[in-house]
Amino acid sequence: MPEKLKTSKARSVFERVQSLDRSLIQLVLILGALSVFCLYSIDKGQGSTYLKHLLRFSFAFFILLAIAITNIEFWYRYSYHFYFLNLFILFIIKFIGVSAKGAQRWLDFGVFHIQPSELAKLSIILVLAKFFNSVKVENVNKIYSLLVSTILILIPFLLVLKQPDLGTAILILGAAVGVLWIVGINRKIFISCVVIVILSLPLIFAGLKTYQKQRVLNFFNAEKDPLGKNYQVIQAKIGVGSGGIFGKGYMKGSQSALNFVPENHTDFVFSHFAEEFGLLGAILLLWLFFKIIKKITVVGDQCHNNFSKIFCYAFAFNFFLYIAINLGMVTGLLPVVGVPLPILSYGGTALLTNMMGFGIVLSAKLYNEHF
Amino acid sequence: MIKDKNKKNNFYYSNDSNKNESAFSDVSLILKNRINIVLKSFLIIISIILVRLLYLGFSHTNEINFDNFISEKDYNTRLNIVDRSNLLIATSVDVYDLVLKVDKARNLSELLAKLKKEKEFKNINVEEIKKESLLKKRIVLKKKLDPEEYKKAVLLGEPSLELNKRQVRIYPQRNLFSHVLGQIDDDYKGISGIESYFNSKILNTTDPSSTFQITLDSVIQSQIRQELLEAINTYSSKGAAALLMNVNSGEIISLVSLPDFDPNRRESLNDNKFFNKITLGTYELGSVFKSFVIADALELKLVDENTIFENLQSKTYCGNKVFHEHDKKIKNLTTSEILIKSSNVGAMLIGEKVNKERYKNFLTKIGLFDLPSVEIPEKTKPLNVNWSECTLDTASYGHGISTTPIQLASAYATLVNGGYKIYPTLIKKKNSHKQERIISSDTSSRMIKMLRRVVDKTDPAEGTGRKADISGYSVIGKTGTADKPAKDTKGYTHQYISVFVAIYPEEKPENLLLIMIDEPKSSITKGIYRTESAWNAVPVAGSIIKKIGPILAEKNYNIAFNVKQDK
């Protein structure tokens, strides 16, 4: 094995890039291209949003490649460091963060605004993967492992919730619960947790911010205040509904292009997509997402070590969570919680974390034999 | 610490021991099972979302719902007003104002710049709006959007822009009903005419599809208005007015006062064109009062039609005041002839027979000094007359005593309808039946006969109303010409008010037409040699009756009114 390790390290960067999983990279590139086209159409070819996105995507893709050709052992070794660094940033952001739209979520790096809460989704998966990698299978349901994992989850969750960013906090929790599910925590525990959450819902609701309460209330009472808080959702639903089977055609969507759908660059990009490309386009897009998730789980299946396995599965679950919540939100099935559609939505950090995740998955495959 | 544990328990070093090997495959299996469940649930969620997409596609939310942009702040409705044949004379249409909701605008400058770029809104004053935005929450950017502007405003899709729906009152016939309908203010409240008098009935009723009906007839109203306009032109007069009323029910079929105004325009109400001559003007109306003194004398049985008054002088005196007769000859006249020839001195003699108190009571009883009952706020109660020494003399022939034309008309209706008091109205009454008797039906029918002779062309007495004797209608009536009192000094000017009350048919009077011409002039080139009523108001009434007679006959309003005829 040490010999194998040497030979892999001896391989040049070019060789390593060449031997990456082509189909996953293709799928990611297709999504990236779609997102650039979509943003171009939303602005009717004016403005520079799509160029910015293209630039960011290229940058993120470069990061993806860099991570992919780095041995996954790096992430295994440093996952705790990464996790605590992330917690630290989340903590200090309270004091030096840039406020955007009422929440302190951003860290200004000059060119890039980074949302540490987005990175937390990745770090929680990594740290849990490492933790459960170290736990024997028969000890998974022991109090000790449950307690440690709960603490690991709750700290970033509460920090993000405090920012306040409900959407990201829910996704962090979702990603973490996904890991717990995948590593085989007893179903009874999950069921009792769900019961506890449902029972404590009134308490949770009381603790929400006013605008968060509004959103939840609006979800249950959509058309009552059409120009108010729920305006986004109604218009997005109209956008989705007006596409028909084949859509209105590229650059022809009126709901989104005419600014009916606010935030259509970011969280509501799907409504624009569905309006222009119709039901058929939406099905193709969902199929594409499914292919990606399937691909990641296949990589997970092939992995020889549990850290990689858990990471791949958990990342696939996280990816799935993003899509489900975003689409649920856009189609009016869920309240608006501010979850972007992976890769397709305009926005820096979410793109970056997802691409990093893909990078780690690719690395898991590349270094399957050399960890 | 953790690291050491990791080394020991790490699953990864799969070739360390058999035990670990089996553990790994165990874990692997669990992982595989669990991730399969995730994949399956993803498929389920995808199908749910696809079903949702299909649902959204088929549901009706796929149209742009313009209503989302429309607010109905201050939205008031007013009922449509229709004439007696259900012709629309006042209606409301929805208009939209573009309103900026300041607190919803994310970036005001950007938004205003965007608006200004559109050619429909290029006139907005950005600086002014920015200043206003500091003080107000809602700013009206543009009022009454036209369809192009409306469409553009909606397509802008700005949540901070709102289309405020409100109603605007439209009077399709413009000036035709101006004095009756009146106007409304910016708050959509009636401020004059019917709109004001019935404001609470017309505004925001529970049934917006119902209409508010008044008794006017558009066709007749427009015919009469047209004739009056021509009359103003012919006699170079300052104005003119007309009233057409049913003598039994008091329902007003036409009310015209010229000059008039366009209620669609909002102007200051101080202009004299807003003055309703029929209900708000009080005038000394002259010889038309002679009918009252004679009717009173007949009622009191002091005289009859043929009582002869001998040696009537051309001048009489009351103290040191001198009263002149038009006709300078000394003559003998019967009561009828006094009315037909409109003899002032003769009327004075009858007045003296009646005496001051009784005559005063009669005029009061017949309603000449009442506040008109007509349902508009622009009306007045004539000033109390100070009955001095000579008032009886002058009042006998209609001077020194004033009333509103509408009350004059209702008093004449009483004279000819069998003697009942009527109350002029603009609203159809279901069962208007006559109650209060003022004079006996005998006096009434005698008056009708005498008044017929005023108009009858064939009568040897040559009455003053001959030019209104339209064959087939047997018109009855009485003329009146009065000097206008001077405004600043005592005495009278040489300007006249000329009035003619025409009623037909003689056999069973129904329609009363009052014509009043304000300061008519003679015009020799047009064949008009004099300024008395007989030369202007009478021929105008004649040509109006000629025009509206057939229309009224066809509509037969007397039956439609459901008036209970008193025997």
Side-chain angles (χ1 to χ4, degrees):
Chain A
M1 174 156 157
E3 284 166 13
K4 271 183 182 173
L5 209 67
K6 259 181 196 168
T7 49
S8 90
K9 269 184 183 167
R11 280 197 286 179
S12 72
V13 170
F14 182 69
E15 278 171 339
R16 277 183 276 169
V17 169
Q18 271 215 320
S19 50
L20 286 174
D21 187 310
R22 295 248 173 97
S23 56
L24 189 56
I25 290 179
Q26 276 166 6
L27 287 170
V28 169
L29 283 176
I30 290 171
L31 266 187
L34 273 180
S35 75
V36 174
F37 280 129
C38 232
L39 290 175
Y40 183 77
S41 156
I42 286 171
D43 285 345
K44 288 190 190 159
Q46 295 163 344
S48 56
T49 318
Y50 74 98
L51 276 178
K52 260 192 205 162
H53 189 68
L54 184 61
L55 201 72
R56 282 181 184 176
F57 182 77
S58 312
F59 176 75
F61 189 69
F62 176 75
I63 300 269
L64 177 146
L65 287 181
I67 290 171
I69 58 170
T70 312
N71 195 331
I72 192 169
E73 201 181 349
F74 170 84
W75 296 102
Y76 174 74
R77 192 158 290 159
Y78 295 109
S79 49
Y80 279 104
H81 300 78
F82 188 57
Y83 174 77
F84 284 113
L85 180 71
N86 203 320
L87 284 190
F88 177 68
I89 297 173
L90 275 178
F91 187 70
I92 60 163
I93 203 169
K94 267 275 171 216
F95 306 103
I96 60 164
V98 178
S99 185
K101 292 181 191 172
Q104 285 194 329
R105 303 172 190 173
W106 305 80
L107 204 58
D108 196 352
F109 281 104
V111 194
F112 254 88
H113 281 320
I114 298 285
Q115 249 182 309
S117 51
E118 283 287 338
L119 288 175
K121 288 173 213 163
L122 208 57
S123 63
I124 192 84
I125 297 175
L126 284 169
V127 82
L128 286 174
K130 178 155 180 177
F131 175 73
F132 282 106
N133 188 29
S134 67
V135 176
K136 282 186 180 170
V137 68
E138 57 268 27
N139 294 336
V140 159
N141 281 311
K142 289 270 163 66
I143 287 292
Y144 158 76
S145 56
L146 286 178
L147 203 67
V148 172
S149 55
T150 308
I151 291 168
L152 286 174
I153 294 164
L154 278 184
I155 297 169
F157 172 72
L158 291 176
L159 277 172
V160 173
L161 196 65
K162 206 79 193 130
Q163 280 185 350
D165 187 349
L166 185 64
T168 313
I170 286 174
L171 273 177
I172 289 172
L173 194 67
V177 170
V179 179
L180 297 186
W181 168 261
I182 286 157
V183 297
I185 301 270
N186 200 330
R187 279 161 212 243
K188 282 177 191 162
I189 295 174
F190 278 97
I191 292 166
S192 44
C193 278
V194 167
V195 171
I196 289 168
V197 167
I198 288 173
L199 288 179
S200 59
L201 268 181
L203 258 160
I204 294 172
F205 187 75
L208 288 178
K209 290 260 165 192
T210 323
Y211 81 97
Q212 292 168 335
K213 277 185 198 170
Q214 259 316 322
R215 280 177 177 175
V216 177
L217 287 178
N218 282 334
F219 170 67
F220 291 108
N221 205 352
E223 329 290 323
K224 205 176 176 187
D225 176 23
L227 264 188
K229 308 276 186 289
N230 216 35
Y231 176 80
Q232 295 179 329
V233 183
I234 292 173
Q235 293 301 334
K237 269 156 68 175
I238 294 170
V240 169
S242 65
I245 292 185
F246 301 107
K248 293 181 176 168
Y250 186 57
M251 303 273 277
K252 299 258 171 66
S254 67
Q255 279 297 110
S256 324
L258 289 169
N259 281 334
F260 276 108
V261 184
E263 309 284 340
N264 52 9
H265 295 100
T266 56
D267 297 353
F268 285 84
V269 72
F270 181 75
S271 76
H272 179 80
F273 188 88
E275 189 183 6
E276 291 197 342
F277 301 108
L279 185 66
L280 227 55
I283 290 174
L284 276 172
L285 185 69
L286 290 174
W287 177 78
L288 209 59
F289 279 132
F290 182 71
K291 278 288 275 188
I292 289 176
I293 290 170
K294 183 82 187 145
K295 186 74 211 165
I296 298 169
T297 57
V298 167
V299 172
D301 291 345
Q302 292 164 353
C303 282
H304 293 326
N305 64 81
N306 281 327
F307 175 75
S308 303
K309 241 184 207 328
I310 295 170
F311 180 82
C312 287
Y313 289 157
F315 181 67
F317 180 78
N318 189 29
F319 201 73
F320 149 75
L321 212 59
Y322 265 100
I323 296 161
I325 293 181
N326 178 276
L327 295 189
M329 182 174 104
V330 171
T331 51
L333 290 168
L334 293 174
V336 178
V337 281
V339 173
L341 195 58
I343 316 280
L344 226 60
S345 284
Y346 178 76
T349 330
L351 178 69
L352 196 66
T353 36
N354 280 318
M355 295 297 258
M356 281 168 78
F358 284 124
I360 297 171
V361 170
L362 286 169
S363 160
K365 182 165 185 187
L366 184 64
Y367 290 95
N368 198 15
E369 308 297 335
H370 312 289
F371 187 169
Chain B
M1 174 76 177
I2 292 170
K3 218 171 186 180
D4 291 345
K5 262 191 182 170
N6 283 350
K7 284 282 178 210
K8 261 187 238 161
N9 299 332
N10 199 331
F11 297 124
Y12 169 68
Y13 299 101
S14 49
N15 47 0
D16 273 8
S17 69
N18 283 338
K19 195 186 165 196
N20 270 350
E21 184 82 57
S22 69
F24 176 75
S25 56
D26 258 8
V27 173
S28 214
L29 203 66
I30 293 167
L31 294 178
K32 184 94 181 117
N33 280 340
R34 291 278 170 109
I35 198 68
N36 275 342
I37 292 173
V38 170
L39 280 177
K40 275 173 199 160
S41 49
F42 185 63
L43 279 177
I44 291 167
I45 285 177
I46 283 185
S47 356
I48 291 173
I49 284 170
L50 285 178
V51 169
R52 177 72 177 169
L53 281 178
L54 276 174
Y55 166 76
L56 287 175
F58 282 113
S59 70
H60 290 289
T61 50
N62 60 355
E63 290 135 21
I64 298 175
N65 191 355
F66 291 107
D67 292 347
N68 288 348
F69 291 89
I70 292 163
S71 80
E72 298 196 348
K73 201 172 184 293
D74 311 321
Y75 184 80
N76 291 313
T77 53
R78 289 186 83 85
L79 291 184
N80 289 344
I81 300 179
V82 295
D83 80 342
R84 66 184 314 132
S85 35
N86 290 314
L87 225 88
L88 196 64
I89 58 178
T91 187
S92 297
V93 293
D94 287 341
V95 295
Y96 298 90
D97 297 336
L98 186 63
V99 175
L100 171 71
K101 289 187 287 183
V102 177
D103 48 343
K104 290 218 169 174
R106 280 196 198 150
N107 187 338
L108 190 64
S109 319
E110 205 175 85
L111 174 67
L112 291 176
K114 188 172 149 193
L115 261 180
K116 190 128 180 112
K117 251 190 260 167
E118 307 294 344
K119 68 174 191 304
E120 286 86 355
F121 303 113
K122 63 172 186 279
N123 291 329
I124 60 166
N125 187 342
V126 173
E127 291 311 311
E128 196 65 32
I129 291 163
K130 276 187 184 167
K131 258 185 225 165
E132 268 186 79
S133 70
L134 301 173
L135 305 167
K136 288 194 210 161
K137 278 196 162 180
R138 290 164 59 87
I139 301 171
V140 177
L141 297 179
K142 190 156 193 182
K143 282 192 169 183
K144 291 191 193 177
L145 301 186
D146 65 29
E148 280 298 306
E149 292 164 343
Y150 172 86
K151 209 172 146 193
K152 178 57 86 183
V154 169
L155 289 182
L156 280 171
E158 278 291 340
S160 57
L161 291 182
E162 181 183 80
L163 290 161
N164 189 32
K165 184 179 173 189
R166 65 184 169 93
Q167 287 210 317
V168 162
R169 198 67 161 162
I170 302 285
Y171 305 93
Q173 280 93 345
R174 298 179 181 221
N175 294 35
L176 191 56
F177 297 101
S178 50
H179 288 101
V180 177
L181 291 178
Q183 281 190 301
I184 60 160
D185 65 6
D186 285 336
D187 295 331
Y188 225 54
K189 223 175 87 188
I191 49 170
S192 59
I194 286 278
E195 295 274 27
S196 164
Y197 196 90
F198 290 106
N199 189 51
S200 55
K201 271 193 182 174
I202 295 174
L203 189 68
N204 288 338
T205 48
T206 43
D207 178 16
S209 62
S210 64
T211 52
F212 188 86
Q213 192 171 38
I214 60 172
T215 55
L216 296 196
D217 183 303
S218 300
V219 179
I220 288 170
Q221 175 88 354
S222 84
Q223 296 280 4
I224 292 179
R225 182 170 178 271
Q226 201 53 44
E227 283 295 323
L228 286 189
L229 284 173
E230 276 170 35
I232 288 176
N233 191 25
T234 310
Y235 306 108
S236 315
S237 69
K238 261 175 77 177
L243 177 75
L244 179 66
M245 188 173 78
N246 184 291
V247 295
N248 299 310
S249 64
E251 287 185 12
I252 296 169
I253 300 155
S254 171
L255 192 162
V256 183
S257 173
L258 294 176
D260 55 15
F261 59 95
D262 183 351
N264 294 305
R265 290 162 185 244
R266 311 217 24 78
E267 290 171 62
S268 137
L269 285 170
N270 296 324
D271 202 304
N272 79 327
K273 69 185 174 187
F274 295 103
F275 187 82
N276 189 336
K277 291 185 167 62
I278 297 289
T279 59
L280 191 58
T282 56
Y283 307 94
E284 294 185 16
L285 291 166
S287 308
V288 281
F289 270 67
K290 285 169 190 157
S291 308
F292 302 128
V293 77
I294 289 170
D296 197 10
L298 285 178
E299 183 72 11
L300 295 166
K301 304 204 184 324
L302 300 173
V303 294
D304 65 20
E305 298 92 320
N306 302 317
T307 310
I308 295 173
F309 293 84
E310 287 176 334
N311 288 326
L312 293 176
Q313 305 291 315
S314 62
K315 279 182 187 174
T316 44
Y317 301 90
C318 170
N320 50 10
K321 280 187 186 169
V322 190
F323 302 106
H324 295 274
E325 186 75 281
H326 309 292
D327 196 345
K328 305 295 180 215
K329 280 181 275 180
I330 299 165
K331 56 202 177 278
N332 303 331
L333 292 174
T334 62
T335 309
S336 309
E337 282 166 342
I338 288 173
L339 189 71
I340 299 161
K341 289 192 171 293
S342 202
S343 160
N344 290 348
V345 176
M348 281 161 69
L349 289 176
I350 297 173
E352 273 157 25
K353 283 189 178 227
V354 173
N355 92 29
K356 191 162 86 180
E357 267 326 296
R358 286 195 288 197
Y359 186 45
K360 190 176 153 188
N361 283 342
F362 182 76
L363 293 182
T364 311
K365 214 165 66 168
I366 209 163
L368 283 166
F369 308 128
D370 288 352
L371 180 71
S373 57
V374 63
E375 298 89 349
I376 52 174
E378 296 80 21
K379 55 190 178 185
T380 191
K381 187 174 155 61
L383 286 171
N384 280 332
V385 180
N386 182 19
W387 287 75
S388 63
E389 204 183 333
C390 303
T391 308
L392 174 65
D393 293 330
T394 56
S396 307
Y397 65 90
H399 277 236
I401 189 163
S402 56
T403 186
T404 51
I406 194 166
Q407 288 310 100
L408 179 80
S410 67
Y412 260 87
T414 304
L415 291 185
V416 300
N417 70 4
Y420 296 95
K421 191 158 184 183
I422 59 124
Y423 297 92
T425 179
L426 286 164
I427 305 300
K428 275 189 177 183
K429 300 271 172 5
K430 270 185 188 154
N431 284 308
S432 63
H433 57 125
K434 302 176 262 182
Q435 284 174 331
E436 196 185 338
R437 180 176 282 283
I438 308 294
I439 56 170
S440 67
S441 60
D442 177 55
T443 308
S444 178
S445 54
R446 284 169 175 214
M447 284 307 296
I448 293 170
K449 282 200 186 81
M450 275 194 269
L451 289 168
R452 171 61 191 155
R453 288 185 65 193
V454 176
V455 183
D456 193 354
K457 274 190 284 198
T458 58
D459 195 277
E462 297 191 339
T464 49
R466 283 167 295 160
K467 287 194 165 109
D469 191 13
I470 309 302
S471 61
Y473 291 99
S474 55
V475 179
I476 65 177
K478 179 73 191 88
T479 57
T481 311
D483 293 324
K484 273 181 142 182
K487 270 182 186 168
D488 308 319
T489 57
K490 266 193 160 185
Y492 290 87
T493 62
H494 290 290
Q495 301 297 341
Y496 300 101
I497 290 273
S498 104
V499 62
F500 181 56
V501 182
I503 298 150
Y504 78 90
E506 179 200 0
E507 298 76 28
K508 202 172 140 330
E510 270 180 30
N511 304 306
L512 180 149
L513 175 69
L514 179 144
I515 301 292
M516 189 178 94
I517 295 175
D518 189 6
E519 297 184 13
K521 316 277 188 307
S522 60
S523 165
I524 291 157
T525 51
K526 290 178 191 162
I528 304 155
Y529 304 105
R530 296 171 63 173
T531 53
E532 285 97 332
S533 179
W535 291 83
N536 40 62
V538 176
V540 170
S543 58
I544 289 176
I545 289 169
K546 218 186 271 177
K547 280 189 176 169
I548 65 169
I551 306 170
L552 279 170
E554 191 191 339
K555 295 192 176 173
N556 200 354
Y557 287 151
N558 211 26
I559 290 168
F561 297 157
N562 192 18
V563 172
K564 284 184 188 161
Q565 292 297 324
D566 195 85
K567 295 272 161 157

